[in-house]
Amino acid sequence: MQGFMAPPGHSGFLAKKLFETGGKIQWGAIAHIEPQGGGPTGGHTHPEDHLFLVIHGTATICLAGEEVQVGENQAFFVEGGTLHSIWNRTGESITVVKISTTGERAVTL
């Protein structure tokens, strides 16, 4: 559980920052992606940043020719302006939460 820590005054509780202050959450969504599903085909860009939180399964985040596997209970930050898409390359459905923000910059996860 690299990067997790117990906040002061907590017991049996580990936490890890997902992003820093200073930005604004634009919107969020939960997605259920079927096996071999995802998108958009060819990827897309936009000015807002995305924070993907994989709740169940393993997601594949495609970034301008690079593929990153993001496992269950892991998060991945995509900076605005980056060509990206998200796919399920597994044989079971996956669940992903996406939070779109402006003005944020990644914390190493």
Side-chain angles (χ1 to χ4, degrees):
M1 304 241 325
Q2 182 180 2
F4 284 80
M5 59 175 257
H10 289 69
S11 175
F13 184 108
L14 296 176
K16 182 178 186 179
K17 278 188 182 179
L18 297 175
F19 50 86
E20 297 289 341
T21 61
K24 180 179 178 184
I25 293 176
Q26 296 295 303
W27 61 278
I30 187 165
H32 299 284
I33 307 172
E34 295 300 317
Q36 309 313 310
T41 301
H44 67 181
T45 63
H46 42 70
E48 33 317 306
D49 301 330
H50 283 331
L51 178 64
F52 292 102
L53 306 155
V54 179
I55 305 304
H56 175 75
T58 299
T60 300
I61 311 289
C62 299
L63 303 167
E66 176 188 359
E67 291 193 357
V68 178
Q69 303 297 311
V70 183
E72 190 165 303
N73 297 319
Q74 293 182 331
F76 191 80
F77 187 88
V78 177
E79 189 171 329
T82 303
L83 180 67
H84 67 280
S85 61
I86 183 169
W87 297 91
N88 179 359
R89 305 267 196 240
T90 73
E92 64 177 44
S93 294
I94 65 174
T95 304
V96 178
V97 172
K98 177 175 74 172
I99 300 170
S100 290
T101 67
T102 58
E104 290 292 349
R105 290 299 162 251
V107 169
T108 303
L109 299 174

